[in-house]
């Protein structure tokens, strides 16, 4: 096959991707070098946030001088939807909107309605979800549901208000997030997943109160191991609370048993209370890496495509989008990037990855 080199540049990242000259018809399945298929797309709709979570956007780095992406640099809703449709043709079944804080993006409901209208090749509906810090959810939940959002994931790191305020470093209360969560549940955006990042010495004492609070609620509480994403959070291995320890602490509250995955590529290990009072999830990306089943691609606010959360480089889709690229070229570019992928950062974390300049979590979303 003849190949030509298409250099695609961006002011933050540079990458060179070999794009086949002839059009490769999407077949609804695309495998990378490690035989992992492309199934999920996470789209960051803003790199801004009204929180300053200390593990994600520490205030001393993300201060008033921080250069967030200007409005003109963001992919428009039309550009996002065009790409999403092409990704769906290549096998993406699930789209998660993230950020930054996705509910800060103006008229996000309009984007949701546009994405919800995408037809999958086999006629089944796209699973369209969103991860939010919950602060604006009480106001927006009904409009999000009406626009076609399927479900929502809400992040909440503590029930104790003082601990939570220390973690979000922006004076948001637990009550505001819980009100958003209740409203989302009321309008039918459940079952809701609740994400809790656990950092030793900061909020690990909240593991059991959080478990107690959400047990029997119908919501699925997921404990996330604190990760070394980006370069600004000063991550240390001794601040990670291994999922095995979380499981042990909850077991002391009430016995839990592991259950099967729902689908290939599911990031959380599922657990349920033995007495039937609900489900829990453990996301153990540090102590039990799951790269072997990683089916996720990540599109940044500015249209850079990352094939790993810990990537150091990306492929720019905005430049071709804005210079008249055809659907065939964009589709080939998706195929070229994914087929060439061999990322497995969490499996090789350590000496090999130290000192690497990684992308920030708030830029590509979780
Ligand atoms: N602002 C939204 C929120 O917080 O839900 C969406 C974006 S946030 C980057 C997505 C998820 O990543 C959140 O659940 C957050 O807690 C998690 N996260 C951020 N930094 C993390 C880190 N260093 N380790 C583990 N999870 C992290
Ligand atoms: Fe904002 Fe979410 Fe990062 Fe917290 S985790 S700073 S809410 S993007
Ligand atoms: Fe996927 Fe990269 Fe995370 Fe491994 S480290 S699971 S390849 S995003």
């Amino acid at each position: 096959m003849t190949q030509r080199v298409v250099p695609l540049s961006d002011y933050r990242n540079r990458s060179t991707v070999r794009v086949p000259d002839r059009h490769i018809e999407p077949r609804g399945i695309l495998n990378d070098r490690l035989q992992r298929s492309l199934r999920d797309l996470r789209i960051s709709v803003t790199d801004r946030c009204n929180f300053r979570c200390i593990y994600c956007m520490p205030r001393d780095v993300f201060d008033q001088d921080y250069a967030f992406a200007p409005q003109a640099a963001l992919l428009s809703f039309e550009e996002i939807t065009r790409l999403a449709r092409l990704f769906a043709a290549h096998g993406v079944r699930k789209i998660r909107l993230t950020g930054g804080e996705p509910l800060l993006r103006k008229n996000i409901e309009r984007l949701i309605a546009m994405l919800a209208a995408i037809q999958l090749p086999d006629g089944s509906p796209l699973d369209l979800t969103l991860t939010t810090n919950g602060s604006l959810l009480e106001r927006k939940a009904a409009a999000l549901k009406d626009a076609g959002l399927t479900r929502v994931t809400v992040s909440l790191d503590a029930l104790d208000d003082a601990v939570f305020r220390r973690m979000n470093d922006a004076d948001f209360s637990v009550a505001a997030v819980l009100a958003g969560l209740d409203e989302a549940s009321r309008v039918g955006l459940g079952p809701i997943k609740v994400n809790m990042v656990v950092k030793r010495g900061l909020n690990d004492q909240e593991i059991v109160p959080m478990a107690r609070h959400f047990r029997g609620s119908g919501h699925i509480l997921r404990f996330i191991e604190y990760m070394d994403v980006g370069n600004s959070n000063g991550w240390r291995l001794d601040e990670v609370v291994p999922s095995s320890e979380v499981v042990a602490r909850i077991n002391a509250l009430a016995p839990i048993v592991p259950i099967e995955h729902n689908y290939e590529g599911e990031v959380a290990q599922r657990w349920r209370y033995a007495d039937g009072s609900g489900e829990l999830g453990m996301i153990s990306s540090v102590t039990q890496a799951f790269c072997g089943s990683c089916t996720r691609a990540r599109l940044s606010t500015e249209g850079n495509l990352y094939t790993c959360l810990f990537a150091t480089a990306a492929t720019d889709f905005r430049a071709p989008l804005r210079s008249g690229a055809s659907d065939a070229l964009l589709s080939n570019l998706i195929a070229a990037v994914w087929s060439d992928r061999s990322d497995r950062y969490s499996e090789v974390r350590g000496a090999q990855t130290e000192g690497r300049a990684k992308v920030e979590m708030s830029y590509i979303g979780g």
Side-chain angles (χ1 to χ4, degrees):
M1 185 200 320
T2 41
Q3 298 215 303
R4 71 195 154 89
V5 177
V6 180
L8 300 162
S9 58
D10 175 77
Y11 72 87
R12 282 184 203 222
N13 294 296
R14 287 190 172 274
S15 76
T16 301
V17 177
R18 290 188 163 276
V19 184
D21 248 349
R22 66 179 173 77
H23 178 51
I24 311 221
E25 202 54 47
R27 288 180 296 115
I29 184 133
L30 192 60
N31 285 340
D32 68 8
R33 285 174 187 253
L34 303 177
Q35 300 309 312
R36 298 168 296 188
S37 35
L38 173 60
R39 288 295 179 210
D40 310 87
L41 179 64
R42 298 188 176 196
I43 304 175
S44 172
V45 292
T46 177
D47 58 348
R48 290 162 200 260
C49 190
N50 50 352
F51 282 23
R52 285 292 176 273
C53 299
I54 52 183
Y55 53 77
C56 178
M57 295 181 80
R59 200 171 269 289
D60 54 341
V61 177
F62 294 86
D63 59 11
Q64 63 213 26
D65 298 326
Y66 187 82
F68 290 103
Q71 185 66 30
L74 311 189
L75 289 192
S76 69
F77 291 168
E78 287 69 22
E79 289 169 331
I80 292 174
T81 307
R82 184 172 172 212
L83 287 180
R85 193 169 287 119
L86 297 172
F87 272 94
H90 276 302
V92 161
R93 295 283 169 274
K94 180 170 159 188
I95 290 185
R96 176 175 297 279
L97 300 180
T98 176
E101 174 46 44
L103 298 187
L104 287 182
R105 179 83 187 246
K106 221 170 147 206
N107 299 325
I108 184 84
E109 304 81 353
R110 190 166 77 81
L111 174 64
I112 290 169
M114 289 164 75
L115 293 173
I118 294 177
Q119 288 272 321
L120 293 182
D122 64 3
S124 60
L126 185 69
D127 187 7
L128 184 57
T129 168
L130 176 148
T131 303
T132 171
N133 63 27
S135 60
L136 301 169
L137 199 51
E138 189 179 15
R139 226 186 306 148
K140 297 208 166 204
L144 298 172
K145 173 71 181 172
D146 288 348
L149 194 69
T150 322
R151 279 173 300 108
V152 79
T153 296
V154 179
S155 303
L156 179 65
D157 296 327
L159 270 188
D160 180 281
D161 209 48
V163 175
F164 184 58
R165 284 176 198 264
R166 213 174 303 137
M167 290 192 81
N168 68 56
D169 200 15
D171 233 15
F172 280 92
S173 67
V174 171
V177 178
L178 290 180
L181 205 147
D182 287 348
E183 179 62 4
S185 179
R186 192 189 67 77
V187 301
L189 285 171
I192 294 172
K193 290 177 183 157
V194 180
N195 279 356
M196 172 179 177
V197 176
V198 185
K199 191 173 170 190
R200 193 180 297 285
L202 189 66
N203 67 336
D204 57 316
Q205 73 286 5
E206 289 289 297
I207 293 171
V208 169
M210 284 281 285
R212 202 180 284 126
H213 181 85
F214 287 106
R215 185 177 170 200
S217 66
H219 308 317
I220 302 169
L221 176 59
R222 310 191 313 165
F223 296 92
I224 306 182
E225 289 180 350
Y226 171 43
M227 288 186 284
D228 50 334
V229 216
N231 306 292
S232 61
N233 65 8
W235 183 86
R236 292 202 334 244
L237 184 58
D238 61 2
E239 291 172 333
V240 177
V241 178
S243 292
S244 54
E245 189 180 323
V246 176
V247 168
R249 291 202 205 180
I250 295 173
N251 245 321
L253 165 77
I256 55 173
V257 289
I259 48 178
E260 283 298 304
H261 277 305
N262 278 319
Y263 54 89
E264 183 213 341
E266 189 171 33
V267 292
Q269 296 152 308
R270 299 173 65 212
W271 292 75
R272 67 171 179 82
Y273 289 102
D275 66 2
S277 55
E279 186 179 328
L280 295 157
M282 305 290 154
I283 303 183
S284 327
S285 39
V286 178
T287 62
Q288 293 167 62
F290 39 80
C291 302
S293 61
C294 179
T295 53
R296 293 171 293 285
R298 295 177 158 88
L299 186 65
S300 82
T301 315
E302 297 166 298
N304 289 317
L305 186 71
Y306 291 84
T307 55
C308 179
L309 191 50
F310 300 90
T312 52
T315 303
D316 179 8
F317 274 73
R318 189 184 60 195
L321 270 170
R322 293 190 181 171
S323 56
S326 63
D327 278 357
L329 179 102
L330 293 169
S331 174
N332 275 12
L333 189 52
I334 294 170
V337 171
W338 192 264
S339 328
D340 196 39
R341 169 186 194 246
S342 59
D343 307 278
R344 49 189 204 93
Y345 177 94
S346 287
E347 286 181 354
V348 296
R349 177 186 277 111
Q352 280 185 51
T353 57
E354 248 162 52
R356 212 158 119 157
K358 293 166 292 184
V359 64
E360 292 297 330
M361 183 75 128
S362 54
Y363 184 66
I364 51 170

